Amino acid sequence: YLMSSVVEEKTNRLMEILITSVTPFQLLTGKILGLGALGLMQLAVWLTAFVLVLSFGQALPFLQGVTLPIDMIVLGLIYFTLAYFLFSSIMAGIGAVVGTEAESRQYSSIFSLVTVIPFFLIISFFTDPNGPVVTFLTLFPFTSPISVIMRVAWGSMPIEQIILSIAILLVTT
């Protein structure tokens, strides 16, 4: 949405009018923070719904014993925030550079494809969760949010790798 709105404002020449009131940095920062707040609100709604379902659904046999660990919530929020800022800044940059929305979608698809690589290699997460491929995906900033959440959800992960992954993602962002 961020990339599309930047491209649309640029092609409609609306950005030229907006730039008379704010700097380009302020405009893009406002867009990134606004959509980020919307994403966090969406996460809060999903989390609340999940907690309510778990609270009231413990009488149902398929929900008995299902819990939501606090460490997963914290990791999810950390990785959501860092990954959001990484990808939103890249998408805003793509939107500012390209001429048409079709062109911007072609460039953004490269990043989207890289992001889902952990799902293509999901068998590695089960068969060799501490192997070199999974460790690389955990540390590579574009795949680390999904990889870390998958590794923590399905088993243990060394805390050093989590800290290193967050640090690399933070520096990249």
Side-chain angles (χ1 to χ4, degrees):
Y1 293 127
L2 181 70
M3 182 184 59
S4 296
S5 71
V6 170
V7 171
E8 182 181 341
E9 288 172 359
K10 197 171 82 171
T11 56
N12 291 341
R13 304 183 68 89
L14 180 63
M15 192 170 283
E16 293 173 6
I17 296 168
L18 292 173
I19 297 298
T20 61
S21 302
V22 295
T23 65
F25 181 77
Q26 289 172 331
L27 179 66
L28 288 178
T29 302
K31 286 181 169 298
I32 289 171
L33 291 177
L35 280 174
L38 181 64
L40 285 174
M41 175 62 82
Q42 215 173 1
L43 279 176
V45 168
W46 290 343
L47 189 60
T48 303
F50 191 71
V51 167
L52 288 173
V53 166
L54 286 182
S55 299
F56 296 118
Q58 287 299 318
L60 300 171
F62 63 91
L63 287 178
Q64 288 177 350
V66 175
T67 60
L68 185 60
I70 297 297
D71 60 339
M72 288 293 293
I73 295 171
V74 171
L75 275 177
L77 289 174
I78 290 170
Y79 277 99
F80 171 82
T81 304
L82 291 175
Y84 172 76
F85 281 119
L86 174 65
F87 286 105
S88 65
S89 59
I90 289 171
M91 296 304 163
I94 289 172
V97 172
V98 300
T100 64
E101 187 158 349
E103 189 180 356
S104 69
R105 294 204 183 277
Q106 290 174 347
Y107 289 119
S108 70
S109 65
I110 295 167
F111 293 102
S112 300
L113 204 72
V114 170
T115 303
V116 297
I117 287 174
F119 291 120
F120 296 134
L121 301 173
I122 198 166
I123 195 71
S124 297
F125 285 84
F126 290 119
T127 59
D128 194 12
N130 293 316
V133 171
V134 175
T135 302
F136 173 77
L137 291 174
T138 300
L139 299 177
F140 186 63
F142 293 102
T143 58
S144 66
I146 293 174
S147 298
V148 169
I149 297 299
M150 284 174 27
R151 282 184 72 185
V152 171
W154 291 325
S156 64
M157 181 176 162
I159 190 72
E160 303 86 26
Q161 285 185 10
I162 294 174
I163 293 169
L164 185 59
S165 172
I166 289 172
I168 292 171
L169 186 57
L170 186 63
V171 168
T172 305
T173 301

